[in-house]
Every structure is written in structure tokens, then in C-alpha cells.
Amino acid sequence: MTKKINLFANLKSDFASGLVVFLVALPLCLGIALASGAPLFSGIIAGIVGGIVVGYLSKSHLSVSGPAAGLTAIVLTAITDLGAFNIFLTAVVLAGVLQLVLGFIKSGSISNYFPTNVIEGMLAGIGVIIILKQIPHAFGYDPDFEGDEAFFQTDGQNTFSELFQVFNHIQLGSILITLVSLAILILWNKVEFLKKIKLIPPALIAVIVSIILNEFFIQSNSNLAVLKEHLVSLPVPTSLEEFKNIIITPDFSALYNSKVWIVGITIAVVASIETLLCIEAADRMDAQKRYTDTNVELKAQGIGNILSGFIGGLPMTSVVVRTSANNAAGAKSKMSAIIHGVLLLVSVLTIPFILNKIPLATLAAVLLLVGYKLANPRVIKHFWERGKYQFIPFIATFLGVVFTDLLKGVALGIVISIIFVLKGNLKRAYNFRKEEYADGDVIHIDLAQEVSFLNKAAIKSTLMEIPENSKVIINANDTVYIAHDILDLLREFKTTRAKDENIKVKLKGFKKAYQLENSVETPNKVRIEHYYDVMKRKTVKREIIDENFND
């Protein structure tokens, strides 16, 4: 029986964190829509649906869904190729249906195979990206859209070259607002009486102070005033007719277009992978160590994308940046994600003109602290101390995410992890022991529970190195499965090379189904047990060895 969750149990902390996520999500929704070549409001619609609908249906306590930076290139190309936004929306609905199917066939279980060090590397990489991408916004240089996570940017720069461009476009007012905002955010958790104020998040105070400060600069005609292009830019409908035009519906006659299906499948696959990665990351961040049903999550995302596509929204995923901000703000349950969606809906309908006064610099300050918490140097030290097999996939994912994008970085980390697993399996497929005696060598090869074709090269190499006139015991007592490739290899070794080089081979524990004849055992089992005991102590007598191999 599933335990019911009281969404209102932690309302104080969830409302405060939902407010922070709302402030972070607003420019991200707009920026991703702008970069995708879609109407700006389509990003807001996806954010609202992701918060309210997916937030309610999801079993994740921390993850927040909305338009994702990882889909911008796909969306931009698709809108151009399909020729109209309403045709693209058909592909979004189709992607949602496919995600729903993936949830029902339990494809979410694939997330269990994402290594922890890769997930941690992804989070640390995202943290560094957030810091590097927000530095220009903190200085008042905003050519790159909010929410960009790719190394190569749409403005022709990359993550690092953009930092050098900042020096040519410094805006003192933005720097001042960033510093004031950072001071509020940091001191709020340091000053004792401020720490007790749980309902009002420091991010909201920072936003209010920044708006008042910038309004003062504008009214006093100061050169510190932050101009419109460095503020949040939300479309403001001036009439009911304009508001109705915001809602664009899909053209389902385009379902006969094969391109729509290709786009739909592409979005479904990429969005599902990004969602599963974020869910794993959210579960890793959760202080209460709660686990999310990923199959339910895929169904929730599917329903969310179906609804978003129906009312003119972008495709969505569970998003690492918003989820990280949610966790950093102290969220306790999924009520935080729902509140962020409600706030998006209410604010864009009622106070869009106030939202358009928020400087991007103050939001950059919020994200800088989120990035620092994700990219804490202690995480790198932790994996360094756990050895190369943990550290190398971690650091490869970390660098891959920073210098390419999230999916490519994670793919690199997983490939390296698989290589290490295969390498480890090659070694663990058998245990090789050689004990030297004055009268010759006795070599033991104890096969593992499962020996696959992947182990063929290692076992073949071991057999090739066995010297002439040796005695070999190949033990399969603990083995459940042996690949035919390995059986053929052992058969060829015993019948051909062993005879040619006078190698005495004893096979033990091989099943009859393998059609590989076991050596006949000595009737006296006690004598055999004694044989193995004394072998370990290197006191075995030549007569016992010879008798065992001649039986």
C-alpha cells in the first residue's frame, strides 16, 4: 500500500523554496523559448504545466520540470524544418504520448544503471556551468540567453571566451546590484534573527531591494541605472484579444507528415533521458534519501508534454538547474514545484509589468550560490580518495558536461564506466593461482559464476602462457553459466595444445550439458581434501600429485 503524502505538511519551507524557484524559472523559461525560436510565452506555458501538472503527478519530492536547455537545438531545427509552430506542437503532443507508453512499459528502470559517480560528475559540471554562465549576467553583459548550458553559444562565443568579452561591456549598476544581492543572500543565513524568518526567502528580499535600487537609479538619472535589455522581459498583453493569441493549438493534420514523427520520437527520447538523469540527481541531493518511481515520472512527463503541446507550450523535462535551486532553497516536498507553477501562472496574468523590473543581475546572484553548492570542491576530493575507477568516470563526466553539454558529458562518463566494468569482469571471470614446487608447477584456474564471451581474450591469454610439462586444474564447481566460446577454447586446449606440450589438464565441476568431459575423481575423497589442504601449505608429496593426475 502506497503511503499518502500530505502536501501541506511543510508549507512554510515549500512556499519559500517555491518562490525562489519561480524567480529562477521565469527568466529561464523566457530565455529557452527565445533560443528555441518559439513564442516567448510558450516557455512560460511549459513552466506552468511542468510546475502544476507534472509537479502534482510526479513522485519526486525535489525535481522541478519545465522547458529544458538541452532541447533548444532540437526545437529550433524542428520549427524551421516543419515550417510552422503549430505543426511543431503536434510533434510535442506525440512526444508526450510516446513518453506515456515508455512509462507503462517500465522504461524508467534504465535510470538504475546510471553510475553514482557519473551523476555526481554531472551535478558538479552543471554547477561550474551555472557559475561561468552567470558571471556575464552579473556584470551586465547579456548576449547569451538565460538557461544556456552548452559550451558553444548561439552568440558565436563559448563559455570561456564570453568571460573575456565581459571586460568590454561592464555595467556598474549591474555589478552593484549583484554585490548587494549576494550580501543579502549570504548574510541572511549568517545573522541569527534573520535565520529565524523562514517564510520570506532571502532571494525575494534580494529581488525587492534590487528593483527599488534600480528604480532609484532610473529616477535620479544615474548612469548606474540598469537598462531594459538587462531586465526580465516578459510579454505583456494589452487586450483580451492579444491574450487569446498567446494560446496556439497544434495542427493534427500534420500527423501524416513523417517529419513530425521523427521530431516527436527525438524529443521523447532526449527528454526522457534528461528527465531520468535529473531524477537520479534529485534523489542524490535529497537529504531524506527518498527514491522516485521513474516509471511514474515518465508518465507524468508524458501527460505534461501532451497538455503543454495542446495549449502552445514547449516540450519539457525535469531540469537540473531548477531542481538544484529548489533543493538549495530548502524544499521538503513536491508542493514546492507546484507552488512555483502557480506563481508563474498568477504573476504573468496579474503583475507582468512588475516582473519586468527585475534585473537579471540579481537572479545571477541567486544562481551563483546554487552553482557553488553543486560544484563544491569537497565532492572532487571525495571521489579522488575513492580511487581511479571512481574518480576517472567522475572527472570525465564533469569535464564533458562543462566543455560540451549535459547529455554528451554523461554519455562519456557512462562509456568510461562500462569500459572499467568490462575490464573488471575480464579479471574476475576466473581466479588464477600458480604454486611452484621442486618437481614442477601446479596451476589452478577457478572459473567465476558467469563466464561470457567477453572473457575469452583474458582466458585465452592465460592458457597460452602455461608452460610445457605443467599440471593444470580448471575448476567450474561454482560456475552457473559458461559461454560456448569459452567451452570451445577449453576443449581445444585440452585435446590439442595440452597433448602437444605435455600439459596435464584436470577438469572439475563442468556440467554434462557442456559436453566437456570431467576428469575421473579418486574414490578416496578424504585423500583429495587432504591434497588441497597440503597444497596450500606447499608440503604436498609428488606421489599424491601424480596419482591424482593419472586417475
Side-chain angles (χ1 to χ4, degrees):
M1 185 174 173
T2 305
K3 183 180 178 181
K4 288 188 177 181
I5 298 171
N6 183 0
L7 290 176
F8 299 96
N10 302 288
L11 191 58
K12 284 186 179 180
S13 56
D14 285 340
F15 182 81
S17 54
L19 191 55
V20 173
V21 179
F22 154 69
L23 294 172
V24 169
L26 180 63
L28 295 182
C29 290
L30 295 170
I32 290 167
L34 181 66
S36 301
L40 289 180
F41 235 92
S42 64
I44 298 294
I45 291 170
I48 293 169
V49 174
I52 300 174
V53 179
V54 179
Y56 178 76
L57 297 175
S58 170
K59 297 294 184 184
S60 176
H61 298 275
L62 292 180
S63 80
V64 181
S65 296
L71 294 175
T72 52
I74 296 171
V75 173
L76 181 62
T77 303
I79 293 173
T80 304
D81 288 348
L82 296 175
F85 186 66
N86 60 345
I87 296 177
F88 168 75
L89 293 176
T90 307
V92 176
V93 174
L94 180 60
V97 173
L98 293 173
Q99 283 187 296
L100 204 56
V101 172
L102 289 174
F104 278 111
I105 64 175
K106 301 188 182 303
S107 298
S109 58
I110 192 176
S111 65
N112 294 321
Y113 299 98
F114 297 148
T116 298
N117 51 359
V118 170
I119 297 298
E120 293 285 358
M122 177 190 77
L123 286 174
I126 288 291
V128 169
I129 287 174
I130 291 173
I131 293 170
L132 295 176
K133 295 286 189 181
Q134 291 304 318
I135 288 174
H137 296 299
F139 280 79
Y141 182 55
D142 306 295
D144 189 32
F145 69 91
E146 280 281 4
D148 187 13
E149 295 172 5
F151 182 71
F152 295 104
Q153 301 176 175
T154 53
D155 63 347
Q157 302 292 332
N158 61 53
T159 303
F160 291 106
S161 67
E162 186 95 332
L163 298 178
F164 294 103
Q165 291 296 318
V166 167
F167 295 106
N168 300 321
H169 302 85
I170 290 177
Q171 214 281 328
L172 293 177
S174 292
I175 296 174
L176 181 60
I177 286 173
T178 299
L179 293 175
V180 170
S181 300
L182 282 172
I184 293 171
L185 294 169
I186 295 169
L187 292 175
W188 197 270
N189 293 319
K190 300 288 185 182
V191 179
E192 198 60 38
F193 80 92
L194 291 176
K195 288 169 67 175
K196 296 178 182 178
I197 305 174
K198 299 291 185 182
L199 189 59
I200 304 175
L204 178 61
I205 302 300
V207 166
I208 293 172
V209 171
S210 68
I211 291 174
I212 294 171
L213 191 58
N214 192 49
E215 282 299 306
F216 172 76
F217 292 152
I218 292 171
Q219 296 301 322
S220 61
N221 294 317
S222 170
N223 57 3
L224 293 176
V226 178
L227 303 178
K228 184 179 179 180
E229 57 266 29
H230 304 301
L231 305 175
V232 170
S233 181
L234 184 67
V236 182
T238 56
S239 66
L240 184 61
E241 192 63 32
E242 280 188 29
F243 187 78
K244 287 180 180 178
N245 292 335
I246 289 172
I247 306 299
I248 303 172
T249 55
D251 178 8
F252 287 109
S253 65
L255 279 173
Y256 296 101
N257 186 343
S258 60
K259 289 183 178 180
V260 170
W261 283 84
I262 293 171
V263 172
I265 293 170
T266 302
I267 291 173
V269 171
V270 175
S272 297
I273 292 172
E274 285 209 18
T275 291
L276 294 177
L277 286 169
C278 183
I279 290 299
E280 283 297 305
D283 288 350
R284 290 290 302 167
M285 287 186 276
D286 189 0
Q288 298 182 48
K289 300 304 175 188
R290 295 165 291 188
Y291 295 103
T292 302
D293 187 330
T294 49
N295 295 310
V296 172
E297 184 65 30
L298 286 180
K299 294 175 189 176
Q301 294 290 334
I303 293 171
N305 275 320
I306 290 170
L307 182 57
S308 182
F310 261 117
I311 58 177
L314 289 176
M316 73 187 72
T317 73
S318 180
V319 193
V320 177
V321 176
R322 271 156 273 189
T323 300
S324 304
N326 194 32
N327 177 65
K332 302 295 183 185
S333 76
K334 62 182 183 178
M335 188 63 179
S336 175
I338 297 172
I339 288 171
H340 123 273
V342 172
L343 290 174
L344 275 175
L345 175 62
V346 172
S347 61
V348 298
L349 293 178
T350 57
I351 53 168
F353 55 92
I354 294 178
L355 298 178
N356 285 342
K357 294 181 181 293
I358 301 174
L360 295 177
T362 196
L363 300 178
V366 175
L367 288 170
L368 283 170
L369 291 183
V370 171
Y372 174 76
K373 290 180 180 179
L374 287 176
N376 196 310
R378 284 180 295 181
V379 178
I380 299 175
K381 183 184 177 184
H382 168 73
F383 281 99
W384 172 262
E385 291 172 347
R386 292 179 68 176
K388 64 180 180 180
Y389 291 110
Q390 287 293 312
F391 180 73
I392 293 176
F394 166 82
I395 203 68
T397 305
F398 171 78
L399 295 174
V401 168
V402 172
F403 287 99
T404 56
D405 57 40
L406 186 147
L407 289 181
K408 290 174 185 174
V410 168
L412 176 63
I414 290 176
V415 167
I416 292 174
S417 295
I418 291 172
I419 291 172
F420 283 164
V421 168
L422 294 177
K423 186 177 179 182
N425 283 340
L426 293 180
K427 293 180 179 179
R428 287 189 290 271
Y430 61 94
N431 184 34
F432 175 77
R433 292 180 285 128
K434 185 172 74 171
E435 300 175 359
E436 294 186 2
Y437 299 94
D439 301 310
D441 290 342
V442 177
I443 297 171
H444 298 260
I445 299 176
D446 302 325
L447 299 180
Q449 284 191 335
E450 293 190 10
V451 187
S452 72
F453 72 95
L454 296 171
N455 311 122
K456 182 177 178 180
I459 293 177
K460 186 176 182 180
S461 175
T462 298
L463 295 176
M464 290 293 290
E465 292 174 3
I466 293 174
E468 295 180 3
N469 306 314
S470 299
K471 298 180 177 70
V472 181
I473 298 174
I474 302 176
N475 187 353
N477 277 326
D478 297 328
T479 304
V480 177
Y481 166 77
I482 306 177
H484 288 291
D485 294 34
I486 306 299
L487 293 173
D488 289 341
L489 186 65
L490 296 175
R491 190 177 293 112
E492 291 167 5
F493 173 74
K494 183 181 179 182
T495 58
T496 307
R497 182 166 174 264
K499 289 183 178 180
D500 293 342
E501 299 184 8
N502 192 31
I503 300 173
K504 294 184 179 180
V505 181
K506 182 170 184 175
L507 303 178
K508 293 185 62 179
F510 286 84
K511 297 176 184 178
K512 290 182 179 180
Y514 294 153
Q515 297 180 353
L516 192 64
E517 185 182 354
N518 289 298
S519 302
V520 179
E521 297 287 350
T522 307
N524 189 347
K525 290 186 178 179
V526 176
R527 194 174 181 189
I528 295 174
E529 294 290 337
H530 175 70
Y531 161 68
Y532 278 104
D533 287 338
V534 295
M535 264 210 311
K536 292 177 181 177
R537 296 193 299 269
K538 299 188 179 181
T539 58
V540 68
K541 294 181 180 180
R542 181 177 177 181
E543 299 84 49
I544 299 176
I545 297 174
D546 289 340
E547 184 177 347
N548 276 327
F549 277 94
N550 292 329
D551 281 346

